[in-house]
Amino acid sequence: MKVALGEYPHAQLELDGYDVEPVEVKPIIAAYRRMIRDLEFDVCELAPVSYLMARQAGVPLTAIPIFLNRRFHHEDVQCAALSGIRTPRDLEGRRVGVRAYSVSTGVWVRGVLAEEYGVAHEKITWVVDDDDHVEGRVPANVERVTDGRSLGELLSAGELDAALTGNAGTGRAGAPQAGWTAHGGGTEGSYPLFPHAEVLSADWYLRTGIYPLHSVVVIRSDLVERDPGLPAALYAALVESKRRSETAWSTIPRLARQAEQIGADPIPYGIEANEPSLKALVRFCRDQGLLDPDFPTDVHELFAQGDYR
C-alpha cells in the first residue's frame, strides 16, 4: 500500500494485513494534484477543499475523518505597505494574492471575512499564480499572474493590496512541486490585517466551535470496494499512532500554540468532534462557488461507513 502523508509525529502508520510503503513527497501539497488527477497513491493526505471538490467531480476517493493538520487564519492576511487598508471591509475593490482560488487557506480566510466582518469576497480581485487541483470552478473575479513574478514580489511592488502568507501566498516562490522554493514569507513594509490574530482566532473558536481543517486522509475507492473494512482499520491505526506519539505534536510549535489557544487536543479526529468545522467548510465552499448549491450538508456522507470513535 503506497501511502503519502506529511511528516507528522502522529502519523507513523502500521496497518495489520498490509505492507505499508511510505512515499515521501515534499511539500506534501505536491501530492494532492497527483492523487486527484492520477490516483497515484493508495492512501494520501489531501486538502479538505480539494477532497470536497474531487468528490463532487466524481473522482473515486473515499475519506476517513482523520485531520492531521490544523491552523487558524486571522494571521494570514498581510497588507501592502502603502495600501491604506485598516479594516477588513477595506479589502473590497482591492487586489489580494492567493496561490489558487480553491486553496484551503483562501477558502477559510474568505469565510471568516464574510461571516465575521461582512466582507463581500466577490468584490475582491483574487490574484493567483497556480492552478486549482480540481479545475473549472474559478469565478470571474480571479486574475492569473502571467509574468512569472511571485505574489511576494507583487505585494512588495504595491501591485497587490494584500496577500495571504505561507504556502498559500507570499511564503513560496514557484509552483507547489518537488524542488519549489520556500521562504519565511512576509515582505518589506507589509503589515497584518489583524494585529491581534491569536486572540481573535481563539475568540472565534470559542464562539463557533470552528477549528479550521487543513488535511484529510483519503483512500482510493477501488481499495475500499475490495476491502470494506479498510477505512475503519486505517482510522484505528492512525488513532493508535497518535496515541503512541502522546504529546509529540508539541514538537510542532504551531500545534502546541493552538493547544493553548483552544485548551484542548489540537488534532481531534472523528466526525462528531469536527462537525462544526466540517459544516463551516462545506458552507464556505458553496458560498464561494466551489461546490454546487445542492452539495450534501450532512457531513457524515463525506466519509466511508465505519466506527470513528
Side-chain angles (χ1 to χ4, degrees):
M1 176 181 286
K2 292 184 177 180
V3 177
L5 303 177
E7 291 184 299
Y8 307 104
H10 47 280
Q12 306 305 308
L13 181 60
E14 297 176 7
L15 188 60
D16 289 344
Y18 286 88
D19 181 11
V20 175
E21 178 187 341
V23 181
E24 184 179 284
V25 181
K26 292 185 177 181
I28 189 60
I29 60 174
Y32 299 171
R33 192 172 305 172
R34 291 159 61 182
M35 185 61 169
I36 289 171
R37 299 186 181 182
D38 301 319
L39 300 176
E40 185 173 336
F41 313 105
D42 298 313
V43 174
C44 188
E45 179 181 349
L46 271 191
V49 172
S50 296
Y51 168 65
L52 295 178
M53 295 178 68
R55 180 183 177 87
Q56 177 173 261
V59 179
L61 296 173
T62 301
I64 58 173
I66 293 285
F67 313 103
L68 299 172
N69 193 18
R70 317 291 283 254
R71 62 172 299 168
F72 289 109
H73 295 290
H74 287 78
E75 64 186 22
D76 283 337
V77 184
Q78 289 289 120
C79 305
L82 301 179
S83 65
I85 294 172
R86 291 291 177 266
T87 70
R89 290 289 293 270
D90 292 340
L91 293 169
E92 293 182 1
R94 304 298 192 100
R95 292 162 52 81
V96 179
V98 60
R99 178 174 63 79
Y101 183 72
S102 65
V103 69
S104 293
T105 297
V107 172
W108 285 116
V109 165
R110 287 190 292 269
V112 169
L113 290 173
E115 292 195 350
E116 291 287 297
Y117 303 100
V119 177
H121 57 77
E122 65 274 11
K123 294 183 180 180
I124 297 171
T125 297
W126 299 94
V127 180
V128 305
D129 64 351
D130 190 29
D131 298 324
D132 295 290
H133 298 140
V134 180
E135 298 177 303
R137 306 291 299 203
V138 175
N141 59 320
V142 173
E143 179 182 306
R144 180 66 181 259
V145 177
T146 58
D147 61 7
R149 286 184 294 168
S150 70
L151 298 177
E153 290 173 308
L154 293 172
L155 186 66
S156 293
E159 295 180 43
L160 292 177
D161 298 294
L164 304 192
T165 61
N167 290 344
T170 61
R172 40 155 293 279
Q177 57 192 5
W180 73 342
T181 302
H183 54 82
T187 57
E188 186 175 354
S190 66
Y191 59 91
L193 176 64
F194 298 110
H196 305 292
E198 288 196 9
V199 175
L200 294 173
S201 295
D203 172 73
W204 181 56
Y205 169 77
L206 291 171
R207 285 187 292 105
T208 67
I210 301 171
Y211 183 25
L213 312 162
H214 257 268
S215 73
V216 64
V217 173
V218 302
I219 312 166
R220 279 182 23 223
S221 295
D222 63 308
L223 295 183
V224 178
E225 291 169 5
R226 293 205 301 266
D227 182 0
L230 177 58
L234 182 60
Y235 178 85
L238 286 166
V239 168
E240 174 61 16
S241 175
K242 178 181 168 183
R243 187 199 64 78
R244 288 197 310 267
S245 72
E246 295 182 346
T247 59
W249 49 260
S250 64
T251 62
I252 303 175
R254 174 169 47 77
L255 289 179
R257 186 173 72 248
Q258 288 167 192
E260 293 181 355
Q261 281 180 283
I262 67 174
D265 180 358
I267 40 175
Y269 296 163
I271 298 175
E272 303 306 324
N274 292 283
E275 191 165 358
S277 305
L278 289 163
K279 286 184 174 180
L281 187 62
V282 171
R283 181 171 71 251
F284 292 170
C285 287
R286 289 173 59 174
D287 290 347
Q288 296 170 33
L290 294 171
L291 296 176
D292 294 336
D294 60 352
F295 189 88
T297 56
D298 182 353
V299 296
H300 291 78
E301 296 181 24
L302 302 176
F303 303 98
Q305 295 291 319
D307 184 356
Y308 298 127
R309 290 176 290 179

